[in-house]
Amino acid sequence: MRTILFSSQTYDRDSFMSADLPAGIELHFQPARLSLDTVALAEHHEVVCAFINDDLSAPVLERLAAGGTRLIALRSAGYNHVDLAVAKRLGLSIVRVPAYSPHAVAEHAVALILALNRRLYRAYNRTREGDFSLHGLTGFDLVGKTVGVVGTGQIGATFAKIMNGFGCRLLACDPYPNPQVEALGARYLSLPQLLAESQIISLHCPLNEQSKHLINSEALARMQPGAMLINTGRGGLVDTPALIDALKDGQLGYLGLDVYEEEAQLFFEDRSDLPLQDDVLARLLTFPNVIITAHQAFLTREALGAIAATTLQNIAAWAAGSPQNQVES
């Protein structure tokens, strides 16, 4: 089966070529992002392997189906970028990687918390320039602080375990309480209650119609003044322009993002020689209490290996007539 991997970087090639390749699968790596402009590259490929910022809207899916594609193999857990109704109408199967390494994303969220709290980025730049003063670098002890975990699936539960190890008090919000998180002493609350009581809020929920812009101006106003917000989930969970006002008036004290609602045209590419056209992102980058990473939370050797192995198993299982990890419309 001819399989084309869109948005494939060097690390994707390395992880897929290091995995056990099932018989009959022929891999073709394409660094370009899947879009209407590039969909022609998928012609005569039975399988299209897509990542989170590839365009899988109705027009693209129609072109894929017309070109002979029968399976969309996602290299991600999320599938909000896929028009499932159209895929079903066209007879396209969708499979995904429901879990790879929850530790990778959870640990990155913790890294953002520590870097923001202790101003590591400012301290690093200072000492490189010979400035060894400590003004403006005061942080706070994590022990005893209240951490709100929004979404307690595998990643959220792993994050909660790590923060429990710091001695934090845990609050959680999820329509389906996780017994593992409850065993850590976490209390499940409504989102408004969690926002009001937490000093650190970390988002680990999927993006859907109910969760889109879960954090908006109203939600930000409910937070404690100076609270920290971390998002390693999906960019659309946050109404990004609302963050700017909250940062300007001090309502939001710290912000760590690994995802951004308009990231599709920006992330995973070197654009350092080009002017930044996104005014909202440009404004966020001016704040000294903001750290933005370019959707790298998943980027560990262990996670990449698991993504490659599961994706190849998904393709092989579909070819054998016993699909696994299938996304239902």
Side-chain angles (χ1 to χ4, degrees):
M1 284 176 300
R2 285 168 57 83
T3 301
I4 182 169
L5 289 81
F6 280 94
S7 299
S8 58
Q9 305 292 329
T10 302
Y11 47 79
D12 292 306
R13 181 186 292 270
D14 291 345
S15 60
F16 272 81
M17 296 308 293
S18 299
D20 292 330
L21 186 65
I25 298 178
E26 178 184 328
L27 298 178
H28 299 267
F29 297 92
Q30 175 51 248
R33 173 176 169 264
L34 176 59
S35 67
L36 270 177
D37 294 330
T38 61
V39 68
L41 297 169
E43 285 191 15
H44 310 303
H45 288 83
E46 195 172 7
V47 182
V48 165
C49 186
F51 198 47
I52 196 66
N53 287 328
D54 286 315
D55 183 356
L56 291 164
S57 60
V60 175
L61 292 175
E62 288 168 354
R63 290 281 299 276
L64 289 176
T69 297
R70 296 172 54 208
L71 174 69
I72 308 293
L74 302 175
R75 302 195 304 277
S76 61
Y79 50 87
N80 56 284
H81 56 311
V82 185
D83 191 324
L84 296 179
V86 171
K88 182 177 182 179
R89 172 172 61 80
L90 295 170
L92 291 169
S93 296
I94 312 290
V95 293
R96 68 184 182 116
V97 181
Y100 34 95
S101 171
H103 298 279
V105 180
E107 289 172 9
H108 191 78
V110 176
L112 289 173
I113 291 171
L114 293 170
L116 284 164
N117 175 27
R118 304 309 299 265
R119 273 73 167 189
L120 296 184
Y121 48 98
R122 299 184 71 181
Y124 171 78
N125 288 327
R126 276 191 196 177
T127 54
R128 283 179 60 86
E129 295 174 359
D131 179 356
F132 302 102
S133 63
L134 301 182
H135 61 274
L137 301 182
T138 304
F140 57 84
D141 290 352
L142 285 175
V143 63
K145 297 301 184 292
T146 301
V147 176
V149 187
V150 183
T152 54
Q154 292 191 54
I155 296 172
T158 302
F159 172 79
K161 290 176 186 176
I162 297 172
M163 299 313 294
N164 183 63
F166 279 102
C168 296
R169 172 175 172 257
L170 297 174
L171 303 178
C173 178
D174 195 301
Y176 306 100
N178 187 333
Q180 294 180 349
V181 176
E182 290 178 316
L184 298 172
R187 288 194 298 124
Y188 275 84
L189 302 175
S190 67
L191 182 62
Q193 289 176 300
L194 179 145
L195 295 176
E197 294 188 30
S198 301
Q199 290 146 316
I200 300 170
I201 298 106
S202 191
L203 307 180
H204 300 283
C205 48
L207 178 62
N208 51 42
E209 291 182 3
Q210 290 72 41
S211 64
K212 184 174 175 62
H213 291 175
L214 191 74
I215 302 300
N216 51 28
S217 56
E218 184 179 344
L220 289 164
R222 288 197 179 101
M223 293 182 187
Q224 296 184 17
M228 180 185 294
L229 176 65
I230 305 293
N231 186 12
T232 55
R234 289 288 179 265
L237 296 173
V238 177
D239 180 7
T240 315
L243 297 174
I244 294 174
D245 290 336
L247 287 163
K248 286 170 64 177
D249 64 18
Q251 175 65 15
L252 188 59
Y254 311 80
L255 176 66
L257 302 177
D258 185 57
V259 288
Y260 175 59
E261 190 167 14
E262 304 299 330
E263 70 179 56
Q265 304 296 332
L266 293 168
F267 287 7
F268 308 119
E269 302 289 341
D270 181 359
R271 302 182 182 276
S272 57
D273 291 333
L274 302 171
L276 183 56
Q277 300 295 329
D278 190 312
D279 292 342
V280 174
L281 181 59
R283 184 69 178 94
L284 283 176
L285 290 170
T286 66
F287 289 96
N289 52 345
V290 172
I291 295 180
I292 299 175
T293 54
H295 208 139
Q296 71 176 76
F298 75 98
L299 197 64
T300 66
R301 288 187 295 272
E302 293 81 0
L304 289 170
I307 289 169
T310 302
T311 300
L312 292 172
Q313 291 164 10
N314 285 344
I315 296 171
W318 174 82
S322 302
Q324 62 183 27
N325 299 321
Q326 196 158 14
V327 178
E328 304 293 342
S329 58

